[in-house]
């Protein structure tokens, strides 16, 4: 494993009862890389990304983030998770806390930052995603796009070494997708290590270094972006691309 | 029917007020204790440790199968025995009520906890919060808020249930009314008055809950 | 803790006889009260959903009145106050010649109280039926009575069996209140035994076990009823 490898997934498999959701998957993400995971629904892409920070355990294989083995049941996952940010399809902002509190909670309780430090960091990040004026609002008062940008800021507030995105724009109305993607593009251009599950191929073409294509729990293709789009190897990938790019 | 003696009611008001205070205090304390203990039971029931889950489930199902009067008798008998000396019936009754109501509150809180979306837990986990932090900061506040109308309704039920301390002669509002009824020989007046007082409290309480529900659902 | 254990008191005479007699009264009160509660409660529940405003108001008043006064107070009113309020000769009969006044009063008080709770379950069950179904029935020419008879009642009664089971169980538990007017049902008998033998633990455990068994039997019974009435393919439909 090179010094540059941030996330390493080795031969992992996962079952829900008898149903195999991940079949012998192997891949890695280097520092500063942006990797997009795509595929038809039910392909296991969301499950794959959730194994990286241990939200979903695996029954076989190994996962390393930095030098922490996520798949080891004895690992201290809370410390690891404080270093990886995650953004969810349904935003998952805490509805009973305002924007400021949403951003400060983990900073204070996990990183043990002082109140002042946490608030300062939160304000800087909200400024960056353009939502500083909403800092006192409750999530319910924000639009979907605004909530997701706050969620990204919440992930960044922990100063993570990598960010995971699980279909960040799938629950948004079309006119709000771009405001979120713009934030993500900026993040990528600044050199953040990112693993993104998405259908947004425009975004992938713009900033992704590599595309991972999954189907039925297997990684079918794992190639540099341009090669994937211009010359997909597998029939399934070709089929998927033709369906998704014809809109 | 003859004469309805309002005088006896008027004259006994201070005495009845003492009793009402006992009823209200018992209700308030039992509600707090019941909700705290009930929330703990709900967490145990939902935990991934089989043994905790089983213990909580057995407790809840057992206490929901037996009458409150029996639970009152149980603790009226057990508490002095366990402590080694006689203890006022208020404390025995309070313990009985907390133990009993906790079983009902635990079912309410369990529904409340399950009503909080799993995504919220994932979000908490993803930022490195541990189980207790997630419960305390994220899940329980939301669970509690979702269940406030039902929790208050159960409190109204509790208030009615406190009348049962009559069986151990604890001087709550009901027992006080009964004492006046017997000593003054005015059964009709006192019991009808007691019914009116309870009615006013409970009706007002449920009206308040209805208003609250409408405000929340907007 | 200073306590002498003696479980044999439970099988000695007269204590065993007391327990059995107590159980008998508990079951008798509960079942008789349930008959009143179920029939009257269903009626009132239906009343609360009818188009007629006056009938609805009557149903609402009934439920609010019986729900907001503790059962104990209601029982006392029936036992102590009602005979006083009746015209003289009826009052005298109630106080002196009525057979089993404790039992009768307990049944009436418990029955009417539980009826208000059953009424709420029935109302909820009827209101949960999708409006579309009622529209379909009405547009095919059915009048109110037919809509209730063929659509609303058959569907709602199946769906409310679980909460009704809960009420059925509650009536057994609430029968214990009859001890306050002198009926020696199960809880009263266990207290008697405790007082006579000083074996409180054994006595109360006996009562506890019996109530738990009653709860299990009642749940099983209702489960069978639910299975027998199940509509295939309709079970898990959310209304």
């Amino acid at each position: 494993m090179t010094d540059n490898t941030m996330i390493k997934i080795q031969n992992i498999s996962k079952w829900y009862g008898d149903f195999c959701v991940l079949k012998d998957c192997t891949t890695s993400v280097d520092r500063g890389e942006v990797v997009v995971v795509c595929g038809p629904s039910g392909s296991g892409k969301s499950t794959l990304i959730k194994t990286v920070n241990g939200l979903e355990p695996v029954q076989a294989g190994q996962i390393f983030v930095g030098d922490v083995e996520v798949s080891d049941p004895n690992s201290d996952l809370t410390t690891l998770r404080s270093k990886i940010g995650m953004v969810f399809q349904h935003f998952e902002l805490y509805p009973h806390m305002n924007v400021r509190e949403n951003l400060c909670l983990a900073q204070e309780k996990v990183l043990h930052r002082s109140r002042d430090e946490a608030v300062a960091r939160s304000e800087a990040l909200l400024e960056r995603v353009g939502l500083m004026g909403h800092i006192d609002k409750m999530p319910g008062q924000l639009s979907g796009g605004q909530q997701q940008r706050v969620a990204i800021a919440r992930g960044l507030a922990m100063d993570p070494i990598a960010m995971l995105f699980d279909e960040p724009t799938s629950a948004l109305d079309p006119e709000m997708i771009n405001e979120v993607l713009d934030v993500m593009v900026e993040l990528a251009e600044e050199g953040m290590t990112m693993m993104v599950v998405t259908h947004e191929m425009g975004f992938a073409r713009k900033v992704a270094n590599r595309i991972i294509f999954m189907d039925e729990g297997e990684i079918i293709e794992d190639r540099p972006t341009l090669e994937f789009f211009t010359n997909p190897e597998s029939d399934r990938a070709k089929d998927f691309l033709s369906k998704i790019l014809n809109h | 029917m003859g004469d309805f003696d309002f005088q006896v009611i008027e004259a006994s008001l201070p005495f009845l007020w003492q009793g009402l205070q006992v009823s209200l205090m018992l209700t308030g304390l039992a509600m707090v204790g019941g909700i705290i203990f009930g929330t703990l039971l709900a967490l145990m029931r939902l935990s991934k440790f089989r043994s905790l889950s089983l213990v909580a489930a057995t407790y809840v199902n057992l206490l929901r199968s037996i009458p409150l009067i029996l639970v009152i008798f149980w603790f009226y008998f057990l508490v002095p025995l366990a402590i080694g000396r006689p203890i006022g019936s208020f404390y025995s009754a309070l313990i009985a009520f907390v133990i009993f109501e906790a079983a009902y509150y635990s079912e309410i809180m369990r529904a409340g906890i399950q009503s909080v979306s799993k995504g919220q837990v994932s979000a908490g986990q993803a930022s490195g919060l541990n189980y207790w932090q997630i419960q305390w900061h994220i899940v329980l506040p939301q669970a509690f808020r979702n269940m406030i109308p039902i929790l208050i309704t159960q409190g109204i039920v509790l208030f009615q249930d406190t009348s049962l301390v009559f069986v151990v002669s604890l001087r709550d509002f009901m027992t006080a009314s009964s004492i006046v009824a017997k000593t003054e020989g005015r059964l009709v007046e006192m019991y009808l008055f007691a019914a009116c007082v309870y009615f006013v409290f409970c009706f007002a309480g449920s009206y308040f809950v209805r208003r609250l529900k409408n405000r929340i659902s907007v | 803790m200073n306590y002498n254990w003696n479980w044999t008191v439970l099988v000695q005479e007269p204590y065993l006889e007391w327990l059995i007699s107590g159980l008998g009264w508990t079951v008798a009160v509960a079942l008789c009260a349930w008959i009143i509660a179920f029939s009257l409660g269903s009626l009132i529940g239906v009343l609360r959903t009818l188009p007629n405003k006056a009938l609805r108001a009557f149903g609402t008043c009934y439920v609010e009145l019986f729900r907001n006064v503790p059962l104990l107070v209601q029982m006392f009113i029936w036992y102590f106050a009602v005979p006083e309020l009746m015209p003289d000769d009826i009052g005298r009969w109630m106080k002196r010649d009525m057979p089993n006044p404790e039992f009768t009063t307990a049944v009436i008080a418990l029955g009417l109280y539980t009826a208000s709770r059953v009424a709420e379950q029935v109302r909820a069950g009827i209101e949960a039926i999708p409006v579309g179904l009622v529209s379909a029935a009405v547009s095919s020419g059915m009048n109110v009575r037919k809509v209730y008879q063929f659509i609303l009642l058959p569907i709602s009664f199946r769906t409310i069996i679980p909460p009704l089971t809960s009420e059925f169980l509650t009536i057994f538990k609430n029968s214990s209140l009859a001890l306050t007017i002198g009926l020696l049902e199960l809880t009263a008998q266990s207290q008697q035994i405790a007082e006579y033998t000083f074996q409180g633990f054994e006595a109360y455990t006996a009562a506890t076990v019996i109530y738990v068994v009653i709860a299990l039997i009642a749940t099983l019974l209702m489960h069978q009823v639910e299975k027998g009435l199940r509509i295939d393919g309709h079970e898990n439909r959310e209304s």
Side-chain angles (χ1 to χ4, degrees):
Chain A
M1 179 157 120
T2 70
D3 265 343
N4 236 6
T5 311
M6 199 127 265
I7 300 173
K8 192 159 178 68
I9 297 173
Q10 275 176 308
N11 300 103
I12 60 168
S13 296
K14 182 181 173 63
W15 288 267
Y16 281 134
D18 290 332
F19 179 61
C20 190
V21 291
L22 292 175
K23 298 180 189 152
D24 198 35
C25 299
T26 299
T27 187
S28 65
V29 181
D30 285 345
R31 187 188 310 269
E33 259 201 307
V34 175
V35 174
V36 162
V37 184
C38 66
S41 42
S43 55
K45 43 193 207 297
S46 282
T47 314
L48 181 74
I49 202 176
K50 286 189 183 146
T51 61
V52 174
N53 64 355
L55 283 186
E56 293 280 2
V58 294
Q59 279 87 38
Q62 292 173 303
I63 302 171
F64 292 90
V65 175
D67 47 11
V68 176
E69 188 185 337
V70 177
S71 41
D72 180 359
N74 296 323
S75 289
D76 172 22
L77 287 181
T78 48
T79 315
L80 172 75
R81 286 170 181 163
S82 65
K83 298 192 191 139
I84 304 183
M86 187 156 189
V87 176
F88 298 83
Q89 183 177 354
H90 295 287
F91 336 132
E92 303 301 348
L93 294 182
Y94 309 128
H96 56 304
M97 298 178 180
N98 67 18
V99 167
R100 180 192 290 105
E101 296 308 317
N102 260 277
L103 263 67
C104 285
L105 179 67
Q107 286 187 72
E108 291 177 54
K109 304 296 173 189
V110 181
L111 298 182
H112 304 294
R113 285 184 184 159
S114 73
R115 179 85 187 149
D116 292 328
E117 252 190 287
V119 173
R121 189 85 188 96
S122 306
E123 289 179 352
L125 285 166
L126 284 172
E127 192 73 61
R128 189 176 149 178
V129 298
L131 290 171
M132 182 54 194
H134 300 269
I135 195 169
D136 284 304
K137 294 212 179 132
M138 303 295 281
Q141 297 173 294
L142 303 174
S143 74
Q146 291 170 324
Q147 286 190 56
Q148 195 62 302
R149 283 187 281 152
V150 170
I152 295 176
R154 183 176 65 172
L156 292 174
M158 305 291 279
D159 291 315
I161 57 177
M163 288 282 284
L164 305 173
F165 293 82
D166 184 8
E167 301 212 41
T169 57
S170 299
L172 293 174
D173 288 337
E175 65 268 18
M176 294 191 233
I177 293 181
N178 278 331
E179 70 191 61
V180 174
L181 290 180
D182 285 342
V183 172
M184 289 168 68
V185 166
E186 236 184 77
L187 212 54
E189 284 170 355
E190 286 166 8
M192 174 63 77
T193 310
M194 292 162 69
M195 199 167 168
V196 184
V197 173
T198 186
H199 298 298
E200 297 293 327
M201 291 297 127
F203 166 82
R205 244 205 272 250
K206 199 167 183 179
V207 288
N209 300 102
R210 267 168 46 225
I211 312 277
I212 294 175
F213 174 74
M214 289 184 72
D215 192 13
E216 290 183 5
E218 287 180 80
I219 294 181
I220 310 289
E221 301 212 22
D222 182 355
R223 310 172 64 213
T225 309
L226 204 55
E227 283 177 40
F228 176 76
F229 280 112
T230 54
N231 201 11
E233 281 167 353
S234 63
D235 287 331
R236 280 190 267 185
K238 286 184 193 153
D239 190 41
F240 177 74
L241 279 174
S242 68
K243 288 196 183 119
I244 212 174
L245 292 175
N246 274 344
H247 266 263
Chain B
M1 182 143 81
D3 48 350
F4 193 89
D5 186 1
F6 285 100
Q7 285 274 34
V8 71
I9 297 177
E10 221 185 295
S12 54
L13 279 181
F15 183 66
L16 294 178
W17 169 237
Q18 301 273 28
L20 187 58
Q21 285 178 314
V22 173
S23 298
L24 291 172
M25 211 168 32
L26 200 52
T27 305
L29 293 174
M31 207 167 153
V32 169
I35 292 179
I36 294 176
F37 188 25
T39 304
L40 211 69
L41 282 168
L43 287 175
M44 282 171 72
R45 190 95 183 251
L46 294 171
S47 101
K48 51 190 164 97
F49 298 114
R50 266 289 188 81
S51 50
L52 283 180
S53 173
L54 202 64
V55 166
T58 310
Y59 178 97
V60 170
N61 287 324
L62 176 65
L63 264 93
R64 284 169 60 112
S65 308
I66 61 183
L68 176 52
I69 292 185
L70 184 57
V71 178
I72 294 175
F73 281 161
W74 258 118
F75 282 92
Y76 194 65
F77 156 75
L78 266 185
V79 173
L81 204 65
I83 298 191
R85 57 180 178 82
I87 195 177
S89 37
F90 182 81
Y91 293 104
S92 300
L94 180 58
I95 294 176
F97 273 99
V98 170
I99 299 276
F100 184 76
E101 291 292 325
Y104 292 82
Y105 278 119
S106 104
E107 290 297 89
I108 297 173
M109 288 311 291
R110 184 161 74 104
I113 291 171
Q114 288 176 316
S115 74
V116 178
S117 95
K118 297 281 185 324
Q120 289 286 298
V121 177
S122 297
Q125 283 176 323
S127 56
L129 294 164
N130 66 33
Y131 174 82
W132 289 107
Q133 288 171 323
I134 292 176
Q135 292 303 325
W136 183 255
H137 291 284
I138 300 173
V139 175
L140 290 180
Q142 293 186 59
F144 194 75
R145 212 162 294 202
N146 291 347
M147 292 288 134
I148 282 183
I150 307 185
L151 288 171
I152 297 182
T153 304
Q154 185 62 29
I156 296 174
V157 170
L158 213 178
F159 178 60
Q160 293 190 15
D161 284 345
T162 58
S163 59
L164 291 179
V165 297
F166 175 81
V167 303
V168 291
S169 305
L170 178 62
R171 208 169 287 178
D172 76 318
F173 180 70
M174 182 63 201
T175 312
S177 307
S178 172
I179 290 175
V180 176
K182 298 220 172 97
T183 53
E184 301 291 328
R186 287 282 163 190
L187 301 167
V188 174
E189 286 85 345
M190 295 318 295
Y191 290 136
L192 285 181
F193 179 66
C196 287
V197 172
Y198 275 111
F199 182 84
V200 165
F201 270 90
C202 298
F203 188 75
S206 51
Y207 176 73
F208 171 71
V209 170
R210 260 196 301 262
R211 287 281 299 269
L212 201 69
K213 270 206 245 198
N214 288 335
R215 262 204 336 164
I216 292 180
S217 65
V218 158
Chain C
M1 192 160 101
N2 240 347
Y3 190 76
N4 299 316
W5 295 92
N6 182 11
W7 290 92
T8 61
V9 284
L10 295 178
V11 292
Q12 283 168 16
E13 297 304 330
Y15 308 122
L16 182 61
E17 209 180 287
W18 290 1
L19 275 180
I20 295 178
S21 147
L23 175 61
W25 282 116
T26 293
V27 172
V29 169
L31 291 181
C32 294
W34 180 250
I35 294 173
I36 297 178
F38 186 72
S39 42
L40 185 61
S42 307
L43 183 66
I44 298 199
V46 167
L47 282 184
R48 290 198 73 178
T49 61
L50 287 177
N52 184 320
K53 257 205 183 153
L55 291 174
R56 273 212 313 270
F58 174 75
T60 307
C61 285
Y62 182 95
V63 169
E64 290 299 322
L65 183 63
F66 281 89
R67 253 208 319 200
N68 287 307
V69 178
L71 178 54
L72 184 60
V73 179
Q74 292 185 36
M75 218 170 257
F76 276 20
I77 290 182
W78 283 105
Y79 191 66
F80 294 114
V82 165
E84 302 292 329
L85 293 170
M86 289 284 134
D88 282 332
D89 28 359
I90 302 185
R92 239 175 293 139
W93 174 79
M94 284 181 87
K95 281 184 261 187
R96 273 188 247 161
D97 301 313
M98 181 166 77
N100 268 323
E102 295 82 19
F103 175 77
T104 315
T105 315
V107 166
I108 293 177
L110 190 55
L112 293 181
Y113 169 79
T114 311
S116 73
R117 296 167 66 116
V118 170
E120 283 302 271
Q121 304 294 355
V122 169
R123 177 172 77 99
I126 293 175
E127 286 178 356
I129 296 176
V131 170
L133 216 54
V134 179
S135 307
V138 167
S139 56
S140 66
M142 289 201 237
N143 63 15
V144 172
R145 185 184 65 81
K146 293 210 180 87
V147 172
Y148 272 90
Q149 187 179 349
F150 296 114
I151 314 284
L152 294 178
L153 293 181
I155 296 180
S156 62
F157 270 96
R158 282 174 175 82
T159 57
I160 62 174
I161 286 182
L164 275 189
T165 311
S166 170
E167 291 307 326
F168 185 56
L169 251 148
T170 304
I171 219 174
F172 275 95
K173 293 187 280 179
N174 281 340
S175 67
S176 59
L177 268 86
L179 65 79
T180 60
I181 56 174
L183 186 68
L184 287 173
E185 47 69 69
L186 181 58
T187 310
Q189 294 289 27
S190 70
Q191 197 209 20
Q192 293 272 65
I193 298 177
E195 281 179 3
Y196 273 72
T197 67
F198 296 102
Q199 306 295 141
F201 215 96
E202 289 84 341
Y204 295 135
T205 304
T208 304
V209 168
I210 296 177
Y211 277 113
V212 169
V213 169
I214 291 177
L216 289 172
I217 295 178
T219 310
L220 248 130
L221 210 75
M222 281 308 217
H223 196 61
Q224 288 303 110
V225 170
E226 192 182 9
K227 274 215 313 205
L229 292 178
R230 197 169 288 180
I231 311 172
D232 279 316
H234 187 259
E235 303 102 340
N236 293 321
R237 253 228 306 212
E238 304 270 332
S239 290

